[in-house]
């Protein structure tokens, strides 16, 4: 899922400084699951904003709402009405949700309440780890299922680098060197020859270096 | 000067303290009870401050004897999360405190409330000198 982190309240306060009425808009998708922008976080952020503004002598009215998803038009239908009630919206969805609403509601002032950071897994309660960077041309078949693009600090395709020490990464020694892990895994499987495949320079266009990516499926489209 | 308000958020098991028990503290004490201190949310703490409490005491069972095993440990972490938010908005984090209270020992709860009251008085006097 997409992992995000709440922005410091002081930063959100600065964004909405001129306004008297705002909506704090959560999303029940990824950001709710990673506990950054679901119903509970909407309550916390709203209470914190109100408290800060009350103490500053400029009370703020906050409309608290959470949508099923902010990245899907069918759940945005109520926004037109909401926009009439508030001066601005603080979205706790990932950047996808904020962009999508900004595209569709040009008049609406929408501000990000979270920092969107990575695609990650949830190995234990309260922990999230980056596992994939959406490069658009997956090579996990050569690397024993471990991604060197997301999990190697240098995104090396032909690792490890010379700084790999005792299975740890030289950039952050508490992090395992993923290329070391790939080596160990392939060795255990008797597939070390896969390491001998030299990756040529990667084409990063599918990763987004060619501009924003789109995906289409003609059979799902309505009309022509 | 209007009377200082302190809100205590606590679990049912922690205490049955009444207004009389707090009579020695010259503040308005509001007690909100929850089925378990683990049910006290960060937003509840912030809302209490929004409702004009100058300080909030979160009280749960002692860690080793929590009625719901780990409810009070959760409450402790939520208290820390609320303190962090207070820092972010320029308020003193010590306005929110956690107390672990032996079951039904009202005296310990009253003591913790007194300590919070003193902390708040201290903050008030500093406010007075800095402005
Ligand atoms: S808006 Fe972002 S957080 Fe919400 S469901 Fe869509 S992708 Fe996930
Ligand atoms: S190789 Fe690309 S698609 Fe595959 S896991 Fe890594 S970043 Fe994701």
């Amino acid at each position: 899922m997409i992992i995000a982190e709440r922005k410091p309240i002081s930063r959100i306060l600065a964004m909405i400084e001129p306004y008297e009425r705002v909506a704090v808009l959560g999303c029940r998708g990824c950001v709710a699951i990673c506990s950054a922008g679901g119903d509970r976080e909407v309550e916390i952020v709203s209470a914190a904003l109100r408290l800060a503004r009350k103490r500053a002598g400029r009370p703020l009215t906050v409309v608290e709402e959470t949508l099923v998803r902010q990245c899907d038009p069918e759940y945005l239908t109520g926004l037109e009405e909401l926009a009439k009630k508030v001066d601005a919206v603080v979205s706790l969805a990932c950047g996808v949700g904020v962009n999508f609403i900004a595209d569709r509601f040009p008049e609406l002032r929408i501000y990000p309440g979270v920092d969107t950071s990575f695609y990650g897994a949830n190995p234990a309660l309260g922990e999230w780890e980056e596992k994939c960077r959406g490069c658009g041309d997956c090579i996990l078949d050569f690397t024993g299922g471990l991604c060197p693009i997301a999990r190697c600090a240098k995104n090396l395709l032909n690792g490890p680098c010379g700084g790999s020490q005792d299975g740890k990464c030289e950039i952050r020694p508490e992090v395992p060197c993923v290329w070391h892990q790939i080596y160990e895994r392939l060795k255990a499987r008797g597939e070390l020859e896969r390491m001998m495949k030299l990756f040529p320079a990667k084409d990063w266009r599918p990763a987004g270096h060619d501009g924003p990516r789109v995906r289409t499926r003609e059979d799902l489209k309505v009309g022509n | 000067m209007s009377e200082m308000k302190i809100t205590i958020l606590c679990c049912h098991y922690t205490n049955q303290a009444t207004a009389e028990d707090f009579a020695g503290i010259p503040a308005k004490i509001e007690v909100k009870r929850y089925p378990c201190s683990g049910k006290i949310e960060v937003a509840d703490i912030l809302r209490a401050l929004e409702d004009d409490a100058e300080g909030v005491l979160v009280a749960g069972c002692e860690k080793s004897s929590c009625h719901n095993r780990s409810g009070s440990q959760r409450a402790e972490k939520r208290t820390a999360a609320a303190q962090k938010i207070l820092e972010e908005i320029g308020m003193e984090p010590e306005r929110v405190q956690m107390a672990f209270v032996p079951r039904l020992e009202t005296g310990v709860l009253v003591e913790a409330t007194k300590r919070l009251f003193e902390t708040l008085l201290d903050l008030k006097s500093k406010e007075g000198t800095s402005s």
Side-chain angles (χ1 to χ4, degrees):
Chain A
M1 81 188 106
I2 295 179
I3 309 301
E5 177 83 275
R6 172 176 66 74
K7 278 185 178 288
I9 300 293
S10 51
R11 186 78 169 78
I12 304 176
L13 280 168
M15 294 178 203
I16 59 162
E17 216 283 319
Y19 311 124
E20 319 265 288
R21 300 177 65 85
V22 301
V24 173
L25 193 65
C27 175
R28 294 208 179 101
C30 318
V31 290
I33 300 178
C34 74
S35 304
D39 294 80
R40 208 178 260 200
E41 291 74 28
V42 166
E43 286 187 39
I44 295 172
V45 169
S46 301
L49 294 176
R50 278 193 307 261
L51 175 60
R53 284 283 294 264
K54 186 174 184 182
R55 289 181 63 92
R58 287 191 52 226
L60 180 74
T61 304
V62 181
V63 177
E64 302 181 23
E65 207 164 311
T66 305
L67 305 183
V68 175
R69 280 200 297 278
Q70 292 188 24
C71 55
D72 200 329
E74 76 177 274
Y75 302 113
L76 301 185
T77 47
L79 274 190
E80 214 138 342
E81 277 307 302
L82 182 69
K84 287 183 200 150
K85 288 189 241 159
V86 296
D87 306 318
V89 173
V90 175
S91 165
L92 301 190
C94 73
V96 178
V98 180
N99 271 272
F100 195 56
I101 291 174
D103 281 343
R104 297 198 152 231
F105 300 86
E107 308 294 321
L108 184 69
R109 292 186 183 88
I110 184 154
Y111 298 99
V114 303
D115 292 314
T116 305
S117 27
F118 55 85
Y119 304 157
N122 184 198
L125 276 179
E127 287 175 26
W128 293 273
E129 289 174 354
E130 181 167 22
K131 298 295 180 199
C132 168
R133 223 164 256 185
C135 78
D137 181 14
C138 192
I139 56 164
L140 293 183
D141 49 333
F142 295 107
T143 59
L146 307 174
C147 176
I149 296 169
R151 300 168 68 175
C152 161
K154 300 174 184 171
N155 323 125
L156 289 184
L157 287 173
N158 295 288
C161 72
S164 176
Q165 294 291 322
D166 304 320
K168 300 292 182 201
C169 173
E170 71 167 346
I171 305 288
R172 264 173 47 221
E174 72 276 16
V175 176
C177 165
V178 76
W179 272 109
H180 183 94
Q181 292 177 307
I182 293 168
Y183 171 83
E184 294 291 349
R185 178 161 301 191
L186 294 179
K187 189 166 116 184
R189 288 183 187 170
E191 293 177 5
L192 263 187
E193 76 285 353
R194 286 181 191 260
M195 291 279 293
M196 300 309 286
K197 177 184 181 317
L198 205 63
F199 281 103
K202 188 173 166 67
D203 178 358
W204 289 99
R205 282 172 298 182
H209 294 204
D210 193 27
R213 294 166 283 179
V214 288
R215 174 176 179 245
T216 48
R217 249 189 72 176
E218 289 305 325
D219 59 322
L220 293 177
K221 287 186 171 178
V222 180
N224 299 313
Chain B
M1 196 176 74
S2 65
E3 199 180 29
M4 180 195 289
K5 177 178 169 190
I6 291 177
T7 299
I8 301 175
L9 307 178
C10 64
C11 82
H12 264 300
Y13 299 98
T14 308
N15 77 93
Q16 307 288 323
T18 60
E20 259 170 51
D21 297 306
F22 296 110
I25 305 173
K28 179 171 179 241
I29 311 280
E30 174 190 50
V31 182
K32 289 190 178 167
R33 295 196 167 85
Y34 292 74
C36 167
S37 63
K39 256 200 96 58
I40 300 168
E41 299 284 350
V42 177
D44 294 325
I45 301 173
L46 298 175
R47 282 194 207 110
L49 293 166
E50 223 186 306
D51 284 342
D52 298 322
E54 290 189 34
V56 177
L57 183 71
V58 178
C61 309
E62 284 179 307
K63 285 186 193 178
S64 55
S65 59
C66 178
H67 184 82
N68 292 313
R69 283 189 54 191
S70 56
S72 58
Q73 286 174 43
R74 206 167 276 279
E76 185 183 29
K77 288 179 178 170
R78 301 237 173 94
T79 304
Q83 287 172 331
K84 180 163 177 284
I85 287 182
L86 293 194
E87 273 177 351
E88 288 178 25
I89 62 175
M91 280 175 76
E92 304 83 358
E94 56 273 34
R95 286 182 184 277
V96 176
Q97 289 179 16
M98 173 79 203
F100 295 98
V101 180
R103 256 323 157 93
L104 303 179
E105 274 208 33
T106 303
V108 179
L109 182 73
V110 173
E111 270 315 303
T113 311
K114 221 177 257 170
R115 273 199 303 278
L116 175 60
F117 174 73
E118 277 155 17
T119 305
L120 295 172
L121 271 189
D122 220 39
L123 291 178
K124 217 176 198 124
S125 67
K126 277 185 200 146
E127 257 171 38
T129 52
S130 67
S131 60

